[in-house]
Amino acid sequence: MPELVLESNGRTWTLDPSRPYTLGRDPQGDIVFDDARVSWRHATVSFNGSSWVIEDHGSTNGTFVQGRRIQQMEIGPGAALHLGNATDGPRLNLSGAAAGQPQQAPYAAQGAGAPGWAQQAPQQPAAQPQAPAPQQAVPHQAQPQAPQPGWQQQAPAFPQQQAAAADQYAQKAPGGGAGAPPAYGDRSPTTFHQFSVGRVMRIGRALENDLVVSDLQVSRNHAEFHATPDGRLEIRDLGSHNGTYVNGQPIPKGGSVQLGPADIVGVGHSTFRIVGDRLEEFVDTGEVSFSARHLTVTVDGGKQILKDVSFGVPEKSLVAVIGPSGSGKSTLLKALTGYRPANQGEVLYDNRNLYKQFAELRQRIGLVPQDDILHKELTVKKALKYAAKLRFPADTTAQEREARIDEVLRELKLDIHKEKKVTSLSGGQRKRVSVALELLTKPSLIFLDEPTSGLDPGMDRDVMQLLRGLADDGRTVLVVTHSVAELALCDKLLVMAPGGSVAYFGPPEEALNFFGYDSWADVFSAFENYRDYDWAGRWKGSEHYQLYAADIDSVAPQSVHHMPPPVAMKPPKPQGWGSQLLTLIRRYVSVIASDRGFLLLSVVLPAVLGAVSLPIQHNRGLKVNAAINPQTGLHIPNGTATTVLLILAVGACFAGAANSVRELIKERVIYERERATGLSRSAYLMSKVVVLGTVTVLQGLLVGVIGFSSRVIPDQGLILGSSTLLELCLPIMALGFTSMMVGLVISSLVKTAEKTMPLLVMFAIIQVVFTGCLFTLHGTLGVNEVSYLMPSRWGVAAAGTTLDFNNIAPNTDDPGSTDPLWNHTAGAWGMDMFVLIVLGVICGFFVARFLRRHEPEVMRK
């Protein structure tokens, strides 16, 4: 029976036909690949009696031969395979075993207890002098420059070195000694990198770097390590987009920091630390621990809504959180994600404090809220395209983003729906798209808030099976849910009692027996009927507590109450302000263009509002000399002008505010999530101002042209000369724009979209009163001063200066008194327009302040 030799990245394995061999990321497998694109149990190679066969086990990213994804295929010497990606995924070269070649067992069989870092290379025969130098896995079409000798080395493979390294780590570990775990969480280094004095080690995504990090979160040329003559190491940021972090805090863009032996450097999903004369690299592949210790949340008045919550989540596990209303599930989710840090206690991601290092660790956490975080008017692929553009660094190419989007769509089996609008998908499919958006950046930890809410039992099961698959593929998933039908799919179950305390944590199959009931309905009824019962005390006195939570609960955390960050600095943003603004504008235009109903209403509404003024004494002009009293020779007050201008002004106010009054509230969930991933608040607000402002100004122009063009107007304007029509339309356009800004203020204040319409009507009525067309405002103490805050007062006044309202509509109560805002001068027109625009700017300032309330608390400045 022929033996088969597999070679990958400098390692070789000789396969015996008498047994099958598993390929994947599972350390207990036969052939292990440390690449996030490779599934946990990716494929199997076996001999079927006549030939060698590779079978893909439904891997997430696939197995490829000559660029084609395969499920099962006969293979032999001369063939080449790629795992996880058709071009730059780990490559396997196949050949026949030479005569007399010693058989080399896959390194997973080296024996239990070998340090994890030693599994980077197979055990070598004793006669072999040294392990082969590894090759950097790169696309075939672009080979990188060869790194300097000794700069990148895989973990030693000799048994003596393994034992020595294990002793070294055991001494460093807390409570060190025989069998103690390696330092830095519970993980061992992925690789080692040797550095020498005076040399520079550049890190980045580009292949020409000394240390290539295949991560789209990393810039092409991200940072540099400098070894100084005095033996110290320095990290320098090279203007990276997502930032370089030291101990979880961003260093200044383009700045540098000297490193000590306890410092940890974060670059994308990789972290580095100095040990002696080498650099240890830890790649976050998703297999990280996560725990909460003594979380307590107190609101105003001293009431605790979360009480001393502690639990630990194993890596690659699915954890469900259930409990009755008022048990603090949503508060717990906000505390675990850093959106609303607990007043006391700590959240540990891979033994790193999430609250202190949120700026870095936020990139490794995905959150899927209960509401969809996508614009439903867009197609699935277009929605993901804009999300990828905002989340990935500015130096990623369109091809790189497209490849990652296609990869995620295939993983979640959404590739057949990618050209469909999100609104046309079923509830379960839309939830998959929301998960896909979060998976773009390869988070290790994913939180979901009520993902099955409103779904039928079949879709409920599909979503939970999706989450089970995400956990099996190397991620930790925590889901808050009211559904108890599919809890058996979970590894652990956290049950919250009324008042925000833990009532149970452990395997879901033991939960009902722990409570002594036959169904969850009975458990929840007991919670409601015995709200004063000490459920937390019962839990802590049980055997289940000793088995599943006592070790986490016994560790005293540091208090995080009012803990300031060590460095007062805004976290870096993946895109520059201008790039974010352009992307947001393009996305918003795409959303509007795909909404035909909004486009039709945008044209019909101003046309109707402008046309409403046409039947009003259509034969009367808007000039001062429209009519003269033959007995007195004085001008007759022209009521037509004030009535027409009142209608046009109120129409502009209503149209402008209606455009924006629901805009921020309907996107609140999207904004909250994107803000946490690095979105600029001002860029988001400016995108709304630019797009909605353009639409509103064009609507104002349409209202003004319809209302003024069919009437007799002055021949000469105050500012634009013979272009009187445009001079009259400009105040209407500016009034619509400022009203649009008022609509944004309303939208940023309300909690539900239903409250916007009553406020819109109220705003329009108030503007009618304070136009100055219904009664005289000048000289009316108190009322006149209040009118200065109203956009309609200044918009009507600007148009009134051109029409000379002090003569058209004189003050009949005090004929000698004139309104200074209506003076027929260019200065009065300019002042009215200036104040109108200033009111809009002030509204923009308030919108920006109100938006802060919908951001993660740790990000508020």
Side-chain angles (χ1 to χ4, degrees):
M1 292 185 293
E3 293 178 338
L4 187 69
V5 177
L6 273 61
E7 185 275 329
S8 176
N9 200 26
R11 298 177 292 171
T12 59
W13 301 269
T14 301
L15 309 189
D16 186 339
S18 62
R19 52 162 293 203
Y21 294 83
T22 59
L23 286 68
R25 295 202 326 271
D26 185 356
Q28 303 304 316
D30 298 302
I31 301 174
V32 184
F33 294 89
D34 186 19
D35 191 303
R37 296 170 294 183
V38 178
S39 294
W40 192 249
R41 295 183 180 274
H42 194 101
T44 298
V45 176
S46 60
F47 189 76
N48 64 5
S50 60
S51 62
W52 287 93
V53 176
I54 184 168
E55 180 181 359
D56 187 282
H57 293 313
S59 64
T60 299
N61 297 319
T63 304
F64 300 86
V65 176
Q66 295 182 346
R68 181 171 59 88
R69 185 166 183 167
I70 58 100
Q71 184 65 34
Q72 187 175 28
M73 184 177 180
E74 293 185 358
I75 55 176
L81 310 172
H82 280 90
L83 306 181
N85 189 284
T87 56
D88 63 349
R91 178 186 172 95
L92 279 171
N93 296 311
L94 282 59
S95 60
Q101 180 181 9
Q103 182 171 340
Q104 178 182 335
Y107 61 83
Q110 290 173 359
W117 58 263
Q119 296 180 359
Q120 293 297 317
Q123 184 176 354
Q124 304 294 330
Q128 188 166 340
Q130 65 180 26
Q135 301 294 323
Q136 180 69 42
V138 299
H140 303 306
Q141 64 271 23
Q143 295 294 334
Q145 300 175 358
Q148 297 295 328
W151 275 73
Q152 180 170 335
Q153 299 177 354
Q154 283 196 324
F158 300 114
Q160 311 94 290
Q161 293 170 310
Q162 294 175 2
D167 291 340
Q168 175 187 6
Y169 283 122
Q171 294 171 4
K172 293 181 181 179
Y184 191 80
D186 298 325
R187 295 190 295 130
S188 299
T190 306
T191 54
F192 300 121
H193 306 280
Q194 202 75 25
F195 59 85
S196 56
V197 175
R199 300 304 299 269
V200 177
M201 183 187 297
R202 176 170 291 187
I203 305 174
R205 200 174 74 249
L207 299 177
E208 64 268 16
N209 289 284
D210 301 299
L211 203 165
V212 179
V213 180
S214 181
D215 182 357
L216 289 182
Q217 295 282 68
V218 177
S219 298
R220 299 189 65 82
N221 296 290
H222 197 102
E224 289 179 342
F225 281 103
H226 288 252
T228 59
D230 58 0
R232 291 183 295 180
L233 198 65
E234 182 181 72
I235 181 69
R236 295 180 183 176
D237 183 84
L238 299 178
S240 62
H241 299 280
N242 275 328
T244 305
Y245 299 83
V246 176
N247 300 325
Q249 301 302 318
I251 66 176
K253 197 167 187 177
S256 62
V257 172
Q258 285 197 342
L259 303 174
D263 291 332
I264 297 176
V265 177
V267 175
H269 286 78
S270 297
T271 50
F272 304 86
R273 72 170 183 182
I274 307 170
V275 176
D277 62 345
R278 66 187 179 189
L279 196 67
E280 294 182 347
E281 178 182 6
F282 300 81
V283 179
D284 188 345
T285 58
E287 300 162 16
V288 296
S289 62
F290 183 78
S291 62
R293 295 179 180 174
H294 304 283
L295 297 183
T296 299
V297 174
T298 305
V299 295
D300 296 337
K303 180 182 179 181
Q304 290 185 342
I305 56 177
L306 204 64
K307 299 179 181 178
D308 197 26
V309 175
S310 298
F311 63 95
V313 179
E315 62 184 38
K316 299 180 305 177
S317 60
L318 174 59
V319 180
V321 180
I322 64 173
S325 298
S327 59
K329 298 188 300 296
S330 297
T331 303
L332 175 62
L333 187 64
K334 292 179 181 179
L336 294 177
T337 56
Y339 270 50
R340 200 289 187 193
N343 299 92
Q344 296 177 355
E346 61 187 2
V347 177
L348 299 182
Y349 176 99
D350 203 20
N351 283 354
R352 300 173 64 186
N353 192 303
L354 175 64
Y355 298 157
K356 294 181 181 179
Q357 305 185 26
F358 183 79
E360 176 188 353
L361 297 180
R362 63 174 180 160
Q363 303 177 25
R364 308 188 191 185
I365 296 176
L367 173 63
V368 181
Q370 182 174 347
D371 297 325
D372 293 327
I373 50 178
L374 295 158
H375 290 88
K376 299 179 182 180
E377 300 85 356
L378 301 178
T379 63
V380 171
K381 188 164 187 178
K382 185 172 286 189
L384 295 179
K385 182 185 75 172
Y386 287 119
K389 178 70 173 174
L390 289 171
R391 297 192 180 194
F392 288 142
D395 60 2
T396 52
T397 64
Q399 291 76 13
E400 288 175 317
R401 294 193 297 269
E402 288 277 343
R404 179 57 188 157
I405 291 171
D406 291 339
E407 185 179 347
V408 171
L409 290 175
R410 287 194 302 269
E411 178 179 357
L412 298 182
K413 298 179 176 58
L414 286 169
D415 45 340
I416 60 175
H417 303 295
K418 62 182 179 181
E419 299 303 331
K420 296 180 181 178
K421 287 188 176 182
V422 176
T423 188
S424 67
L425 302 178
S426 65
Q429 290 169 342
R430 285 201 301 271
K431 193 58 63 177
R432 281 178 178 265
V433 177
S434 294
V435 173
L437 188 151
E438 292 301 310
L439 291 185
L440 288 175
T441 53
K442 298 185 179 180
S444 304
L445 186 62
I446 303 177
F447 293 91
L448 300 99
D449 186 11
E450 299 287 354
T452 60
S453 177
L455 302 183
D456 61 53
M459 289 184 180
D460 182 355
R461 181 180 58 191
D462 291 343
V463 171
M464 292 300 292
Q465 288 177 342
L466 165 67
L467 303 183
R468 176 71 266 171
L470 293 177
D472 292 339
D473 203 36
R475 304 176 182 92
T476 300
V477 183
L478 189 145
V479 53
V480 174
T481 180
H482 277 109
S483 175
V484 297
E486 304 297 333
L487 294 181
L489 292 173
C490 302
D491 299 297
K492 291 290 189 293
L493 177 65
L494 175 66
V495 182
M496 300 294 293
S501 57
V502 176
Y504 173 82
F505 179 75
E509 60 271 16
E510 300 177 17
L512 286 176
N513 183 57
F514 170 81
F515 287 106
Y517 291 99
D518 296 327
S519 68
W520 284 108
D522 295 331
V523 175
F524 279 37
S525 295
F527 283 149
E528 181 64 28
N529 296 331
Y530 305 100
R531 298 187 69 89
D532 296 332
Y533 182 75
D534 186 10
W535 295 100
R538 180 178 184 271
W539 155 244
K540 290 187 176 182
S542 67
E543 294 182 359
H544 287 79
Y545 172 79
Q546 298 299 325
L547 286 173
Y548 304 118
D551 56 339
I552 296 292
D553 209 14
S554 61
V555 180
Q558 299 176 358
S559 174
V560 299
H561 185 64
H562 299 305
M563 181 171 293
V567 180
M569 182 184 303
K570 293 189 296 184
K573 297 178 175 59
Q575 300 279 332
W577 189 89
S579 178
Q580 285 193 1
L581 175 61
L582 183 59
T583 301
L584 291 168
I585 289 175
R586 291 177 58 190
R587 182 177 70 177
Y588 195 23
V589 170
S590 297
V591 170
I592 291 177
S594 63
D595 189 347
R596 296 180 179 178
F598 179 82
L599 289 176
L600 181 62
L601 186 62
S602 297
V603 176
V604 172
L605 179 62
V608 170
L609 293 175
V612 166
S613 66
L614 295 180
I616 301 174
Q617 298 187 33
H618 185 67
N619 60 335
R620 293 289 300 275
L622 301 180
K623 299 171 67 176
V624 175
N625 58 355
I628 297 178
N629 189 323
Q631 297 179 355
T632 63
L634 299 176
H635 300 295
I636 298 176
N638 191 345
T640 300
T642 54
T643 304
V644 168
L645 195 53
L646 170 65
I647 293 174
L648 298 181
V650 173
C653 288
F654 185 83
N659 286 338
S660 61
V661 74
R662 299 171 65 94
E663 200 56 42
L664 299 182
I665 182 62
K666 75 178 184 181
E667 290 188 0
R668 182 160 296 173
V669 176
I670 298 175
Y671 173 74
E672 288 177 357
R673 183 64 195 124
E674 291 184 342
R675 177 65 175 149
T677 59
L679 179 68
S680 167
R681 182 197 312 142
S682 58
Y684 175 78
L685 176 57
M686 187 56 66
S687 69
K688 298 297 182 186
V689 172
V690 170
V691 177
L692 287 176
T694 301
V695 171
T696 303
V697 166
L698 292 177
Q699 287 179 332
L701 179 61
L702 182 59
V703 169
V705 168
I706 294 176
F708 291 126
S709 60
S710 61
R711 301 181 183 276
V712 180
I713 59 178
D715 299 328
Q716 292 291 319
L718 296 172
I719 302 295
L720 301 181
S722 59
S723 301
T724 311
L725 177 61
L726 179 58
E727 186 175 310
L728 288 172
C729 290
L730 284 176
I732 302 299
M733 297 158 65
L735 178 57
F737 176 85
T738 302
S739 298
M740 181 272 296
M741 296 300 297
V742 174
L744 289 178
V745 173
I746 296 174
S747 190
S748 64
L749 281 173
V750 296
K751 294 183 178 180
T752 61
E754 290 74 16
K755 295 180 180 179
T756 58
M757 298 315 294
L759 293 175
L760 173 62
V761 174
M762 182 180 69
F763 169 74
I765 293 176
I766 291 176
Q767 298 312 300
V768 171
V769 174
F770 288 99
T771 56
C773 295
L774 295 181
F775 59 91
T776 302
L777 291 174
H778 178 64
T780 307
L781 187 62
V783 177
N784 187 42
E785 285 70 23
V786 172
S787 72
Y788 292 158
L789 300 175
M790 305 299 164
S792 62
R793 172 74 159 113
W794 300 96
V796 169
T801 59
T802 300
L803 296 174
D804 196 4
F805 260 23
N806 278 327
N807 285 321
I808 287 181
N811 188 347
T812 55
D813 297 332
D814 185 4
S817 175
T818 59
D819 192 335
L821 303 186
W822 290 359
N823 287 340
H824 188 58
T825 64
W829 189 93
M831 183 190 69
D832 294 339
M833 291 291 291
F834 175 77
V835 174
L836 186 57
I837 299 300
V838 167
L839 287 176
V841 173
I842 293 174
C843 288
F845 172 79
F846 281 110
V847 174
R849 299 296 296 176
F850 294 147
L851 280 176
R852 292 178 65 252
R853 303 183 307 164
H854 311 298
E855 300 172 2
E857 187 170 314
V858 294
M859 295 182 66
R860 300 177 192 173
K861 296 182 289 296

